[in-house]
């Protein structure tokens, strides 16, 4: 097991760098509020290791960097084209088998726990999110009511691609964050 997937119930506030603020907060709420009778549904987080291995396994980092380097950060004239090219690069990538298998097992565990009629929210949880100097809220795409394993994989890939949508690229430029 490569530990790409972590159940919310195993997460804590200290895990922000690994799974982002939203996921770490959900884990913290489950761990702190369940004993008080407040029920928060469990879920799962795909960690940063999975994202960076997706980039590496598809050998796309240099191509993404090349596209982003072609953008004039002062005029942003080609922002729509650069964004579209980067998203296409991500969408044409393939998940490595270890991630697919681990995600499938975690999804099947959720089905067993909650029943086959579940639908999930698939959304990013940026690791720099809600820092003292920045908030990435609303920068990346979210997908609601996602059902079925193949649909989850597709939504995850769309989340990865949304790291390169126009508003996220511009926000990183405006706030001095690295694109990769």
């Amino acid at each position: 097991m490569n530990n790409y997937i972590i159940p919310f119930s195993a997460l804590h506030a200290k895990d922000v760098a690994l799974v982002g603020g939203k996921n770490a907060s959900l884990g913290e709420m489950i761990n702190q509020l369940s004993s008080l009778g407040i029920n928060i549904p469990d879920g799962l987080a795909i960690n940063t290791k999975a994202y960076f291995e997706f980039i590496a396994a598809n050998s796309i980092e240099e191509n993404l960097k090349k596209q982003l380097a072609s953008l004039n950060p002062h005029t942003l004239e080609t922002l729509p084209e650069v964004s579209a090219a980067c998203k296409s690069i991500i969408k044409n990538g393939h998940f490595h088998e270890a991630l697919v298998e681990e995600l499938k097992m975690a999804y099947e565990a959720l089905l067993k726990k909650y029943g086959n009629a579940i639908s999930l929210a698939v959304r990013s949880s940026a690791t720099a999110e809600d820092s003292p100097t920045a908030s990435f809220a609303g920068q990346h795409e979210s997908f609601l009511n996602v059902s079925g394993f193949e649909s989850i994989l597709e939504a995850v890939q769309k989340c990865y691609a949304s790291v390169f949508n126009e508003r996220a690229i511009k926000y990183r430029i405006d706030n001095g964050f690295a694109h990769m």
Side-chain angles (χ1 to χ4, degrees), residues 1-21:
M1 191 74 88
N2 290 300
N3 300 317
Y4 299 117
I5 311 300
I6 306 168
F8 292 160
S9 58
L11 295 172
H12 299 279
K14 66 176 177 50
D15 296 316
V16 171
L18 183 62
V19 296

Side-chain angles (χ1 to χ4, degrees), residues 7-179:
F8 292 160
S9 58
L11 295 172
H12 299 279
K14 66 176 177 50
D15 296 316
V16 171
L18 183 62
V19 296
K22 289 180 194 111
N23 289 324
S25 293
L26 283 165
E28 196 66 31
M29 287 191 310
I30 289 170
N31 287 297
Q32 297 297 319
L33 301 176
S34 295
S35 63
L36 301 173
I38 299 171
N39 295 322
I40 299 163
D42 205 357
L44 52 97
I46 302 172
N47 65 25
T48 56
K49 179 180 174 184
Y51 173 78
F52 288 115
E53 286 188 18
F54 174 86
I55 299 296
N58 287 284
S59 302
I60 58 177
E61 183 172 358
E62 291 308 312
N63 200 359
L64 290 167
K65 285 180 178 179
K66 179 181 170 187
Q67 290 296 326
L68 292 161
S70 75
L71 178 64
N72 180 328
H74 304 291
T75 66
L76 300 173
E77 288 176 22
T78 59
L79 181 58
E81 294 83 2
V82 168
S83 172
C86 288
K87 290 188 296 187
S88 178
I89 291 166
I90 296 287
K91 289 178 182 176
N92 286 316
H94 303 284
F95 290 108
H96 53 287
E97 195 59 36
L99 172 61
V100 172
E101 287 306 312
E102 196 170 329
L103 181 57
K104 189 171 193 171
M105 287 174 31
Y107 176 65
E108 288 171 356
L110 285 177
L111 290 174
K112 187 174 181 178
K113 185 173 185 176
Y114 295 111
N116 287 334
I118 66 169
S119 63
L120 305 176
V122 179
R123 51 191 303 195
S124 72
S125 184
T127 55
E129 190 169 333
D130 299 328
S131 70
T133 59
S135 173
F136 282 83
Q139 296 300 317
H140 306 125
E141 301 296 325
S142 294
F143 303 92
L144 306 176
N145 300 313
V146 180
S147 296
F149 185 70
E150 291 301 320
S151 295
I152 290 168
L153 278 177
E154 182 180 329
V156 169
Q157 195 158 14
K158 287 179 180 178
C159 277
Y160 284 2
S162 78
V163 169
F164 300 98
N165 68 35
E166 292 176 44
R167 67 182 172 270
I169 292 170
K170 183 177 182 322
Y171 187 84
R172 287 192 299 272
I173 290 170
D174 290 347
N175 291 282
F177 285 95
H179 290 295

